[in-house]
Amino acid sequence: MSGDERGRDRQQRKRDGEDNEEAHKRSAAEWTMLAVSAAVLLVVVVAVAWLWLAGESRPPAFSTTARPIREVSGTVYVPVEVRNEGTRTAAGVQVVMEGPDGKELADQRIDFLSGGETTTVTFVLPEPRPGLGFAVSSYQRP
């Protein structure tokens, strides 16, 4: 290869490199999208970290409230509202109905009760019974 050909070859490679650099320059739209994407990612990471660090986690704690009893064709329906006062979910929540003597008369099971969630279970009795009490007897951690 002669010296003249080598010089032209270098010039051609130099031009190709410059064209290549121009092709890799980012447009304003690309920089804007990069900035927006980075900002959104940063917000998500900060939110997750804040929830993880500052989030209060309380174990399940339950309250029960008897609702008005209704009687239909001699059958008594006793609705009971059960609320998870904690922030963690409870599984297999067992709600019992006790007579005035403390004897367990019936029970209901709630599959899942999330933190802060309220649900209603209904006990069905063949006749009215005064002095009923309701309590959560057990639960599991899911």
Side-chain angles (χ1 to χ4, degrees), residues 41-56:
L41 182 61
L42 181 64
V43 166
V44 169
V45 168
V46 168
V48 168
W50 180 77
L51 287 172
W52 182 60
L53 293 173
E56 183 181 342

Side-chain angles (χ1 to χ4, degrees), residues 117-139:
E117 182 181 8
T118 301
T119 191
T120 301
V121 295
T122 302
F123 292 93
V124 181
L125 303 172
E127 59 189 32
R129 293 198 179 188
L132 296 174
F134 306 95
V136 172
S137 63
S138 65
Y139 72 93

Side-chain angles (χ1 to χ4, degrees), residues 54-83:
E56 183 181 342
S57 182
R58 294 185 321 261
F62 305 98
S63 64
T64 57
T65 307
R67 294 292 169 211
I69 295 172
R70 61 186 172 95
E71 190 172 344
V72 178
S73 302
T75 303
V76 178
Y77 297 89
V78 184
V80 177
E81 192 175 86
V82 181
R83 177 169 176 77

Side-chain angles (χ1 to χ4, degrees), residues 14-27:
K14 187 176 178 182
R15 266 188 255 125
D16 288 345
E18 289 172 1
D19 290 342
N20 210 7
E21 287 176 18
E22 287 178 18
H24 289 299
K25 287 185 181 176
R26 306 276 184 220
S27 69

